[in-house]
């Protein structure tokens, strides 16, 4: 069931002529496999945005979804800590104006209305495809640790629970997760569960997945879980499916 649900999202994107899933679409794929994503909703109108914000509860975050604007912060199309309907209306105009300035021809799929999340220790989970070895999964600390220190580790998919626990402990920043300087230990079991589910997802959909980035993922204290804040998936069409899907697709990554 998980595979069918995820595959439908990916095939719908491919049929539209895209290979890059926007954050909302990527999270639908992850959600199908039980990965922890926030309770978010895609608003296509201001009225829908106001309705969803009331349902989720203020404060909320707003993220504009466009296949041509995958680096949302660069385009200033992420608005945080919206506290009221009046502020939401103002930010709705501002976020669309910023999108038009950044990429006038951008196709806008809607605005993601999301709860404000409590910060946690940041990790990154990624997937790449090697022509020789196939798909590999990456794990490391997020933020400056991945950008500056490149403190990450890789394994070929599929992986076992033993692999995941080894990956977690072998990075240099493991003491940060284990609980340095009196901090509570992070929820290691939640990280293990995410790595195993990503491995299963990619293993079952390997003909459709080219790249994946879950960054950042907030990990909370032991027993309190984790949540995927942002996600990106680059899909591909299997050779035998190109005629069936019926599109002459090309990559449209921003």
């Amino acid at each position: 069931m998980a595979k069918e649900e995820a595959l439908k999202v990916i095939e719908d994107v491919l049929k539209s002529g895209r290979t890059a899933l926007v954050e909302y679409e990527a999270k639908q794929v992850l959600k199908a496999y039980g990965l922890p994503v926030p309770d978010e909703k895609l608003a296509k109108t201001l009225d829908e945005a106001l309705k969803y914000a009331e349902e989720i509860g203020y404060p909320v975050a707003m993220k504009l979804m466009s296949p041509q604007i995958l680096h949302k912060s660069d385009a200033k199309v992420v608005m945080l800590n919206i506290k009221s309907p009046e502020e939401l209306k103002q930010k709705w105009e501002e976020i669309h104006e910023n999108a038009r300035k950044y990429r006038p021809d951008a196709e806008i799929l809607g605005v993601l209305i999301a709860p404000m999340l409590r910060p946690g220790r940041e990790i990154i989970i990624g997937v790449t495809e090697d022509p020789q070895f196939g798909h590999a999964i990456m794990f490391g600390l997020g933020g400056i640790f991945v950008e500056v220190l490149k403190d990450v580790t890789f394994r070929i998919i599929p992986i076992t629970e033993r692999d995941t626990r080894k990956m977690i402990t072998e990075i240099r920043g493991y003491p940060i997760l284990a609980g340095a300087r009196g901090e509570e230990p992070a929820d290691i079991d939640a990280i293990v569960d995410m790595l195993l589910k990503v491995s299963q997802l990619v293993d079952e959909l390997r003909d459709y997945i080219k790249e994946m980035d879950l960054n950042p993922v907030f990990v909370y204290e032991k027993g309190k879980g984790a949540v995927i804040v942002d996600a990106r998936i680059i899909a591909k069409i299997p050779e035998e499916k190109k005629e069936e899907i019926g599109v002459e697709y090309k990559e449209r990554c921003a």
Side-chain angles (χ1 to χ4, degrees):
M1 190 63 181
K3 180 178 177 180
E4 286 74 16
E5 287 181 22
L7 200 51
K8 183 178 185 314
V9 176
I10 295 172
E11 288 193 337
D12 284 347
V13 171
L14 293 173
K15 286 174 182 173
S16 75
R18 289 189 281 122
T19 54
L21 281 67
V22 299
E23 179 184 338
Y24 176 73
E25 294 162 339
K27 284 179 173 175
Q28 294 304 300
V29 172
L30 300 171
K31 186 178 179 181
Y33 274 82
L35 282 144
V37 298
D39 183 17
E40 303 169 330
K41 298 187 178 183
L42 185 66
K44 296 186 177 180
T45 66
L46 175 57
D47 286 343
E48 285 185 350
L50 290 165
K51 175 175 177 282
Y52 296 156
E54 287 294 339
E55 292 173 358
I56 291 169
Y58 290 96
V60 298
M62 300 170 68
K63 303 179 186 179
L64 184 136
M65 298 289 108
S66 169
Q68 289 79 38
I69 306 178
L70 296 183
H71 300 289
K72 297 183 287 295
S73 295
D74 293 347
K76 299 179 181 177
V77 294
V78 177
M79 304 285 175
L80 303 177
N81 207 26
I82 312 297
K83 297 185 178 68
S84 69
E86 291 72 26
E87 188 178 1
L88 188 148
K89 291 176 185 175
Q90 177 191 339
K91 297 298 183 184
W92 177 270
E93 295 300 325
E94 189 176 331
I95 204 170
H96 283 82
E97 181 62 24
N98 289 347
R100 286 191 289 271
K101 287 179 182 174
Y102 183 80
R103 185 75 184 256
D105 63 340
E107 177 189 6
I108 296 173
L109 303 181
V111 176
L112 202 59
I113 306 299
M116 287 297 300
L117 299 171
R118 179 170 66 89
R121 270 162 275 193
E122 293 187 17
I123 64 166
I124 181 172
I125 296 174
V127 173
T128 59
E129 185 180 21
D130 181 89
Q132 184 175 359
F133 298 105
H135 290 85
I137 188 168
M138 177 191 76
F139 166 76
L141 294 182
I144 61 169
F145 295 99
V146 65
E147 294 172 7
V148 178
L149 303 180
K150 301 189 186 308
D151 186 15
V152 297
T153 185
F154 291 84
R155 290 290 188 284
I156 299 297
I157 287 173
I159 56 174
T160 65
E161 180 174 342
R162 182 177 180 182
D163 294 326
T164 66
R165 294 193 182 277
K166 180 66 176 173
M167 290 174 76
I168 293 166
T169 56
E170 71 188 12
I171 62 171
R172 297 193 300 276
Y174 172 66
I176 293 173
L177 297 174
R181 296 190 173 185
E183 276 195 317
E184 288 289 321
D187 197 332
I188 301 296
D189 288 342
I191 302 174
V192 170
D193 186 62
M194 280 193 291
L195 288 168
L196 289 173
K197 285 176 176 171
V198 170
S199 172
Q200 180 193 355
L201 187 164
V202 176
D203 193 32
E204 292 183 0
L205 299 175
R206 59 176 59 244
D207 291 338
Y208 290 84
I209 302 291
K210 184 176 179 182
E211 298 174 19
M212 179 185 299
D213 276 309
L214 313 183
N215 182 34
V217 177
F218 288 168
V219 182
Y220 299 118
E221 297 81 7
K222 183 178 181 179
K224 296 185 178 178
V227 63
I228 297 165
V229 181
D230 201 352
R232 181 179 70 97
I233 293 176
I234 304 297
K236 62 178 183 176
I237 299 180
E239 284 297 324
E240 66 276 13
K241 286 281 186 179
K242 284 184 178 176
E243 186 174 348
E244 178 184 329
I245 288 178
V247 293
E248 184 178 348
Y249 79 101
K250 58 182 179 181
E251 295 193 6
R252 294 170 53 193
C253 306

